[in-house]
């Protein structure tokens, strides 16, 4: 059965963190869709690249999702954390044990929702203080139960490959890493 992932984009999301996940997952054959939290599909990245998402949050049924992903970047992370329909969806996923993932500043959204209490987690160095209740780590990617967190732009490939490995296994993640001439060592 094919896996389904949604990644949520707001104005000011970090380009590499969001689109690396989309690119590598699509190469792996995972159905990942970009979702705007605005009422239009147009979003502007933190580096002023204007792009179109696949979907609009308010028009999407997420019941088929295997994983939900938040990229970092500012002010994108702030907007994601303030969007109640998304935080409600994340809470439902977290409480049902489904996979959620965040990179850079976005793990602070998870912390604000109480998801990181007594869990190991990581984030962008200047955001580590925002991981309230978590055992803070400086690893590139941290998986604790159904929650995956990562540091930032420089760890985006590791983050994406970790998510692929969780969904499709180590062999597929390695094949994707090799196909983009990336060493996971």
């Amino acid at each position: 059965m094919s896996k389904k992932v949604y990644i949520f984009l707001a104005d000011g999301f970090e380009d590499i963190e969001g689109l690396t996940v989309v690119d590598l997952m699509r190469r792996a054959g995972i159905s990942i869709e970009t979702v705007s939290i605005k009422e239009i599909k147009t979003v502007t990245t933190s580096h002023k690249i204007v792009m179109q998402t696949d979907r609009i949050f308010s028009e999407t049924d997420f019941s088929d999702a295997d994983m939900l992903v938040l990229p970092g970047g500012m002010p994108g992370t702030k907007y994601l954390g303030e969007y109640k329909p998304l935080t409600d969806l994340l809470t439902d996923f977290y409480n049902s044990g489904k996979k959620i993932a965040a990179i850079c500043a976005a793990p602070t959204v998870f912390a604000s929702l109480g998801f990181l209490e007594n869990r190991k987690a990581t984030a962008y160095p200047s955001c580590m203080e925002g991981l309230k209740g978590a055992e803070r780590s400086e690893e590139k990617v941290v998986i604790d139960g159904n929650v995956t967190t990562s540091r930032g732009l420089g760890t985006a490939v590791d983050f994406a490959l970790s998510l692929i490995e969780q969904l499709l296994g180590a062999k597929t993640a390695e094949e994707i890493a090799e196909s983009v001439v990336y060493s996971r060592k």
Side-chain angles (χ1 to χ4, degrees):
M1 184 172 92
S2 119
K3 299 294 183 179
K4 184 70 173 191
V5 177
Y6 293 94
I7 186 165
F8 300 92
L9 305 180
D11 285 335
F13 82 90
E14 208 304 314
D15 317 46
I16 301 294
E17 294 164 3
L19 298 180
T20 297
V21 172
V22 174
D23 181 292
L24 294 182
M25 283 195 171
R26 287 184 178 169
R27 289 173 192 254
I30 294 168
S31 175
I32 179 169
E33 294 197 46
T34 57
V35 181
S36 169
I37 64 164
K38 303 188 321 180
E39 287 303 315
I40 58 172
K41 290 183 175 182
T42 304
V43 293
T44 303
T45 72
S46 61
H47 295 283
K48 308 298 182 229
I49 297 171
V50 178
M51 62 166 283
Q52 297 291 308
T53 61
D54 299 312
R55 297 179 165 273
I56 295 170
F57 190 99
S58 63
E59 298 173 359
T60 305
D61 173 4
F62 300 101
S63 61
D64 62 346
D66 294 294
M67 180 184 284
L68 304 178
V69 182
L70 303 183
M74 283 297 181
T77 296
K78 176 179 170 291
Y79 298 147
L80 293 175
E82 291 173 348
Y83 188 62
K84 187 160 174 23
L86 175 59
T87 59
D88 288 348
L89 177 66
L90 290 166
T91 300
D92 290 344
F93 260 65
Y94 174 78
N95 289 336
S96 65
K98 291 185 177 179
K99 294 181 183 306
I100 57 172
I103 185 170
C104 191
T108 61
V109 173
F110 290 176
S112 72
L113 297 170
F115 301 168
L116 302 182
E117 281 294 321
N118 302 311
R119 286 186 184 271
K120 193 172 171 187
T122 194
Y124 190 75
S126 64
C127 297
M128 292 291 275
E129 289 302 311
L131 301 183
K132 293 182 182 27
E135 175 191 331
R136 297 180 188 119
S137 169
E138 292 185 4
E139 293 173 59
K140 290 180 181 180
V141 179
V142 175
I143 303 165
D144 191 333
N146 60 325
V147 179
T148 303
T149 54
S150 187
R151 306 274 293 164
L153 184 153
T155 64
V157 173
D158 293 287
F159 178 62
L161 291 171
S162 170
L163 302 181
I164 291 166
E165 183 170 339
Q166 290 176 60
L167 293 170
L168 299 179
K171 183 174 184 284
T172 301
E174 276 309 312
E175 289 168 356
I176 297 303
E178 288 173 15
S179 77
V180 296
V181 195
Y182 182 79
S183 172
R184 295 178 81 188
K185 293 165 182 58

